[in-house]
Amino acid sequence: MAIEFLSLAYPPLLVFAAALLVLALPRIAGFAVGALSLAAVLAISLVAPEGQHLAGTFLGFEVVPFYVDDFSRMVGLGLGFLGICSVIYAYSSEASETLVAFALVYVASSIGAAFAGDWLVLLFMWELMAVTSTLVVWHYGGEAVRAGFRYAIFHGTGGVLVMMAVAVHYVQTGTFVYTEAGIADGIPALLAVLGMGVNVAFIGFHTWLPDTYPRPHIAASVFLSVYTTKTSAFVLYRAFPVGGESDLSIYVAYMGGLMAVYGATFALLQHDMRALLSYHIQAQLGYIVAGIGIGSNLAVAGAMSHLFNNVLFKSLLFMAVGVVIYRTGEEDLYRLGGLWREMPLTAIGFGLGALSITAIPGFNGYVSKGMIFDAADPHYYGQPEYQALYWLLWLGAIGTLLSFIKLGYYVFFHGESDVEVADAKPGQIVAMLGLGGACLLFGVWWQGLANLAPTIHGSDFAFTYSGGEGHLHPYSPSHLETAGILTGVAALTFVVVRKPLSKLDLGDPAMVVYPATYSVSRWTMLAVTETFAAVDAAVVGAVTRCYWVGNNPVLAVDAAAGRLPDWMVDVDERQPTDGGRPSTIHLRAGIGTTVFLLTIIVTVILWLLVV
């Protein structure tokens, strides 16, 4: 009975119902229900049986709303656990009931996309995720409204591309249900990459990230920092699974490497703390995308493990920075300093997240990022064509270390704090230390993470690759040496570049998309509206003239004749109508000219009638 209940308990529906109750119940009771609904998602993800559930038909199409496998289970566990912590954090951060209700519907759509077993259900959840996340941004008002509008345009465009990909996929395969081959190759695969590339922040499509996430309520940023991007990265894997053999895979892999470098570089140049973290969403997504593109068992295990870990440490970092903003009211990291004495628990939370994202041994990011490094390195399990990708991932790792050394140094350790501020509130501390404890747990007990990771889970953590079989050993001497070299290079580099770096404030060149889009949209709108106005005026004028001609035929002939050249007609000036002589028309053209003109007119009329 319990197994049957878990098969029927649809996780997104539980969270959606909780969102409605948040609006109806007293504040503490509503938030408690929201957290409990996500605890139920966590439990269902852990023990629900594998396979298709709630399968049926919709408008004659086969659909699978609830699909459980090793991949969706792992993502569901991460999203559920984070959801619990995020609701607790939002409660202590004075987020409104309306904001949390919007956020829970957003979370429900994200979980629905993760558990979807077909492209049709995915499309519905994908679009609902775009709409509800926009509401989460807009709710804060102010600058968040325009940022939310730009955010909606990006995600609407991406959604249309994904919709087109799914439509062409159905035409080619005859089914919406997921298959082991992923999205159909060719046009569907290309459209899917472009559409999903918006949500996973491909370079050029990424500007909505640093533009949007620094603007809403700090609790909203925590929700936003995970659910859209991580769910979308998971959906990208559904489109390009292990064994999918897509021609685009190598391009996807190298896009991931470029994202890791690009995101880390522009994170390093930021003054705004949440903008820095937003660029690092792109950078860490780069590792996930690279793993998906490589497509080996180890690479995919690393990508999904890093996705799971990213859910934990990225939200933790947004929480810690959010507490700093909540207590100080300051967004610029260079205007802070020495806060570790004022906010020691927040500093610990930040430290746990920073050590995890920078892949320091003993923390979860070290394990998952190491898998992706090994999968790309031709000297381990990679192919020769991924040599350049391996070095891109190296550069991204150094940039990540530099960024978080910079952020931690200027916010918590540089100088003395000139303000007295309280530390995090109890709920904020519980949320941060809960996530930080999970980061530490899966770094030390890496076997637990490997047990969750699809494609390598098992008692001996063996995996297959093109050259044979291998085993996972994240704490081998060579791996620890690599981590030490990366950390040492980054620390020395920071000492050298710290002062000049603090004077740089370079914008992202891709941000030109906003003024360019505004100008193109404005002139396009003006061109369309002015053209419509001209056509409208011409049509109205023509109808008015025809109506007047019908009512005043003599005057119309008189007026038309007045426009003819003098060599054809001689028209007297119009006389007053109160007793004066009416105007007369005297033809000057000869009879031959007149007959010729009449012949041409009649010929044209007959030709038009025949044709």
Side-chain angles (χ1 to χ4, degrees):
M1 289 295 293
I3 297 298
E4 184 178 350
F5 171 76
L6 290 173
S7 300
L8 296 174
Y10 186 42
L13 190 58
L14 298 177
V15 182
F16 181 78
L20 298 178
L21 290 174
V22 166
L23 296 174
L25 295 175
R27 177 179 171 81
I28 189 169
F31 279 63
V33 169
L36 288 173
S37 71
L38 288 155
V41 172
L42 182 65
I44 293 169
S45 301
L46 189 62
V47 299
E50 288 194 16
Q52 298 181 357
H53 308 297
L54 306 178
T57 59
F58 177 72
L59 299 178
F61 300 109
E62 185 181 359
V63 294
V64 184
F66 187 18
Y67 178 64
V68 180
D69 64 358
D70 290 333
F71 295 93
S72 58
R73 190 187 305 280
M74 189 177 196
V75 175
L77 287 170
L79 298 183
F81 180 70
L82 169 64
I84 298 169
C85 296
S86 298
V87 171
I88 295 171
Y89 182 87
Y91 179 80
S92 286
S93 301
E94 300 175 5
S96 69
E97 291 90 336
T98 304
L99 171 60
V100 173
F102 285 156
L104 286 174
V105 177
Y106 167 44
V107 171
S109 61
S110 174
I111 293 171
F115 280 110
D118 67 89
W119 295 107
L120 198 59
V121 172
L122 170 73
L123 276 178
F124 176 79
M125 293 298 180
W126 186 277
E127 293 304 319
L128 184 61
M129 190 167 61
V131 172
T132 51
S133 57
T134 302
L135 294 176
V136 170
V137 176
W138 274 344
H139 180 266
Y140 195 62
E143 292 183 354
V145 175
R146 285 193 174 185
F149 179 72
R150 295 189 289 266
Y151 174 92
I153 290 175
F154 265 93
H155 289 281
T157 303
V160 170
L161 291 171
V162 173
M163 190 179 301
M164 292 167 63
V166 170
V168 181
H169 169 84
Y170 180 80
V171 170
Q172 293 188 11
T173 64
T175 182
F176 286 117
V177 178
Y178 290 159
T179 65
E180 293 181 358
I183 199 80
D185 209 4
I187 297 298
L190 179 60
L191 291 171
V193 163
L194 294 175
M196 296 172 189
V198 174
N199 279 22
V200 296
F202 281 4
I203 296 173
F205 298 162
H206 70 281
T207 52
W208 58 271
L209 261 176
D211 178 52
T212 307
Y213 286 4
R215 302 181 191 276
H217 191 279
I218 58 172
S221 290
V222 171
F223 284 103
L224 291 164
S225 68
V226 168
Y227 286 96
T228 293
T229 50
K230 308 312 175 291
T231 304
S232 302
F234 175 58
V235 172
L236 183 66
Y237 169 74
R238 289 295 197 199
F240 301 95
V242 172
E245 303 296 333
S246 173
D247 295 334
L248 296 175
S249 293
I250 190 168
Y251 302 106
V252 171
Y254 271 93
M255 173 57 79
L258 293 171
M259 288 166 62
V261 176
Y262 192 97
T265 299
F266 283 96
L268 195 57
L269 299 174
Q270 299 306 302
H271 288 217
D272 186 295
M273 292 182 286
R274 286 193 286 178
L276 184 153
L277 294 179
S278 298
Y279 274 108
H280 268 296
I281 293 176
Q282 182 192 29
Q284 298 309 305
L285 282 168
Y287 287 92
I288 299 169
V289 170
I292 293 170
I294 293 171
S296 66
N297 285 341
L298 178 61
V300 170
M304 292 299 106
S305 298
H306 204 60
L307 188 156
F308 178 84
N309 290 336
N310 208 269
V311 167
L312 303 176
F313 57 64
K314 181 57 67 177
S315 56
L316 170 56
L317 289 165
F318 267 92
M319 286 182 181
V321 163
V323 172
V324 172
I325 296 169
Y326 178 76
R327 289 303 195 189
T328 66
E330 183 58 66
E331 302 264 4
D332 191 328
L333 62 93
Y334 289 112
R335 296 180 181 176
L336 298 167
L339 287 179
W340 72 271
R341 293 186 178 87
E342 305 290 331
M343 310 174 74
L345 293 175
T346 303
I348 290 171
F350 171 82
L352 291 171
L355 291 169
S356 299
I357 196 172
T358 53
I360 300 300
F363 293 86
N364 59 352
Y366 167 76
V367 179
S368 56
K369 196 175 287 187
M371 294 185 200
I372 299 170
F373 269 106
D374 287 354
D377 186 0
H379 298 292
Y380 277 90
Y381 305 113
Q383 298 297 314
E385 60 264 29
Y386 295 122
Q387 181 67 70
L389 174 62
Y390 175 70
W391 292 117
L392 287 173
L393 298 178
W394 252 76
L395 290 173
I398 293 172
T400 300
L401 278 156
L402 280 170
S403 299
F404 285 95
I405 292 172
K406 166 189 165 180
L407 180 57
Y409 175 77
Y410 281 107
V411 173
F412 292 104
F413 299 107
H414 176 62
E416 298 288 335
S417 174
D418 55 2
V419 294
E420 292 185 6
V421 294
D423 206 341
K425 297 173 73 171
Q428 294 170 329
I429 293 170
V430 169
M432 288 192 295
L433 295 186
L435 290 167
C439 291
L440 184 59
L441 172 67
F442 287 114
V444 175
W445 182 47
W446 62 269
Q447 295 90 341
L449 181 63
N451 248 327
L452 288 174
T455 70
I456 65 166
H457 64 84
S459 58
D460 60 353
F461 308 112
F463 55 90
T464 58
Y465 65 104
S466 59
E469 292 190 1
H471 296 266
L472 182 63
H473 297 292
Y475 287 98
S476 67
S478 61
H479 288 96
L480 292 172
E481 180 184 352
T482 299
I485 292 172
L486 281 170
T487 305
V489 169
L492 290 174
T493 304
F494 182 74
V495 172
V496 174
V497 304
R498 181 177 66 84
K499 287 188 177 180
L501 187 64
S502 65
K503 298 176 182 179
L504 290 176
D505 189 15
L506 301 178
D508 185 342
M511 285 296 186
V512 73
V513 69
Y514 290 129
T517 302
Y518 171 77
S519 298
V520 170
S521 300
R522 182 173 184 270
W523 289 109
T524 301
M525 179 194 69
L526 289 174
V528 171
T529 54
E530 292 300 320
T531 301
F532 177 82
V535 172
D536 181 67
V539 171
V540 171
V543 171
T544 302
R545 290 187 184 91
C546 291
Y547 181 80
W548 181 81
V549 167
N551 286 280
N552 303 276
V554 174
L555 292 177
V557 171
D558 189 21
R563 290 183 172 85
L564 294 175
D566 292 341
W567 62 268
M568 293 187 66
V569 296
D570 183 14
V571 182
D572 292 341
E573 292 185 6
R574 184 172 299 170
Q575 300 297 322
T577 58
D578 52 351
R581 182 175 63 85
S583 61
T584 57
I585 300 174
H586 303 281
L587 287 174
R588 286 187 175 180
I591 188 67
T593 304
T594 303
V595 171
F596 175 72
L597 292 174
L598 289 174
T599 301
I600 291 176
I601 294 171
V602 171
T603 301
V604 170
I605 293 173
L606 290 174
W607 183 80
L608 292 173
L609 291 174
V610 171
V611 173

